[in-house]
Amino acid sequence: MAYCPKCGVEVEADVKNCPLCDFPIPDVNEENYPQDSKYPQAINTYEEDHLGKKNQAFFSITIIAASIMVIIGVIYLVYPWNHVLLKYIALADLSIFAIVFFAMGYLKPNYNFLGAYITVVITCLFVYMIGGSQTNWFLSYAFPIATLLYLDVSLFRFILKHTRHKSQFIFIPTNLILFVIVLAIGIDGIVSLNVLGEVQLTWSLIVAVSGLCIIGLLQTIYHRIPEKTRRMLKKKMHV
């Protein structure tokens, strides 16, 4: 049975107008609604509106980035200014534009993240080439640390993807601490390898031990608290 949306009286399913107030009864089973219907079919336009605004913002950013490159090119060819500084500005302009493109999510998440990583590596390489440094800091520090950060974030995203349905107020902090531990050990190993010629972990071991103790404490608290308290925490933290 159907009900009149105006007066609430119960009506037959095939009735077009309410027998009491003569208000038109919408046909909820009808797939195609006429354009002049008082009850048009609801359409979610959020994605289209969001994409339109994002495209407008990206178009504006593209115009700004292109304008900066044109200005830099004119100054480089006409005005005898510091050409090395102009190269750094142009490189920063292109790098920021690429990072913004990937951050706006035009590609799949994995491709966006990979593109940001490649952008960072290429930017560091060009900074190294423009500066003409005597020490090979790109291969010694920049590339290994950037790759370590990429792999560490990828691992964190993979773990988070497979644990997102579990209790977030315990698993997210645990995963973040693991992320910091792996990053600290990696950076400590890279620095010691370049400075001492071999991997000698020092301060990263303190970070690792402290982090593992915190993880153990969080896990103990989570599994020992009563179920009622656990549900209350989930409700309060909206997880």
Side-chain angles (χ1 to χ4, degrees):
M1 299 295 289
Y3 296 88
C4 175
K6 183 178 180 180
C7 65
V9 68
E10 185 175 332
V11 297
E12 296 294 334
D14 56 346
V15 172
K16 300 298 182 182
N17 294 84
C18 176
L20 183 61
C21 64
D22 201 37
F23 191 83
I25 306 298
D27 186 4
V28 295
N29 296 322
E30 187 178 0
E31 296 181 358
N32 299 320
Y33 290 89
Q35 294 182 355
D36 57 347
S37 173
K38 295 183 179 180
Y39 303 95
Q41 186 176 9
I43 300 176
N44 186 3
T45 61
Y46 172 78
E47 293 186 1
E48 296 180 1
D49 295 340
H50 178 70
L51 181 60
K53 293 178 181 179
K54 184 171 69 174
N55 290 338
Q56 291 177 3
F58 183 72
F59 178 75
S60 301
I61 295 172
T62 304
I63 295 298
I64 294 173
S67 301
I68 293 175
M69 290 300 298
V70 171
I71 295 173
I72 293 174
V74 172
I75 296 176
Y76 186 88
L77 296 175
V78 176
Y79 190 76
W81 201 45
N82 190 335
H83 285 183
V84 175
L85 180 59
L86 289 176
K87 291 179 181 179
Y88 281 126
I89 297 175
L91 178 62
D93 179 53
L94 293 176
S95 301
I96 293 174
F97 175 77
I99 292 295
V100 169
F101 171 79
F102 294 120
M104 296 185 76
Y106 281 103
L107 305 177
K108 293 182 178 180
N110 291 334
Y111 295 151
N112 287 319
F113 185 54
L114 179 61
Y117 159 71
I118 294 175
T119 300
V120 171
V121 172
I122 293 176
T123 301
C124 293
L125 176 61
F126 275 95
V127 169
Y128 171 74
M129 295 173 61
I130 293 172
S133 176
Q134 299 299 323
T135 59
N136 194 359
W137 57 265
F138 172 74
L139 290 178
S140 300
Y141 295 99
F143 179 70
I145 292 177
T147 304
L148 170 67
L149 186 60
Y150 171 75
L151 295 176
D152 198 9
V153 174
S154 298
L155 177 62
F156 174 75
R157 293 174 65 244
F158 175 80
I159 296 176
L160 186 62
K161 179 180 178 181
H162 289 79
T163 59
R164 67 179 185 271
H165 298 298
K166 297 183 180 181
S167 179
Q168 295 181 9
F169 71 87
I170 186 65
F171 281 92
I172 289 181
T174 299
N175 294 336
L176 284 174
I177 295 173
L178 289 175
F179 169 81
V180 173
I181 291 175
V182 174
L183 185 63
I185 293 176
I187 293 177
D188 194 13
I190 292 172
V191 173
S192 62
L193 180 62
N194 286 280
V195 174
L196 304 176
E198 60 180 356
V199 177
Q200 292 185 5
L201 301 181
T202 54
W203 58 270
S204 61
L205 294 178
I206 300 176
V207 175
V209 172
S210 303
L212 291 176
C213 291
I214 296 174
I215 290 175
L217 179 62
L218 290 175
Q219 294 290 340
T220 302
I221 294 175
Y222 174 72
H223 290 289
R224 289 298 182 91
I225 60 176
E227 182 64 26
K228 182 179 179 180
T229 305
R230 196 179 305 176
R231 289 197 301 267
M232 184 271 293
L233 290 174
K234 291 181 179 179
K235 182 178 180 181
K236 292 292 183 181
M237 302 183 70
H238 303 283
V239 294

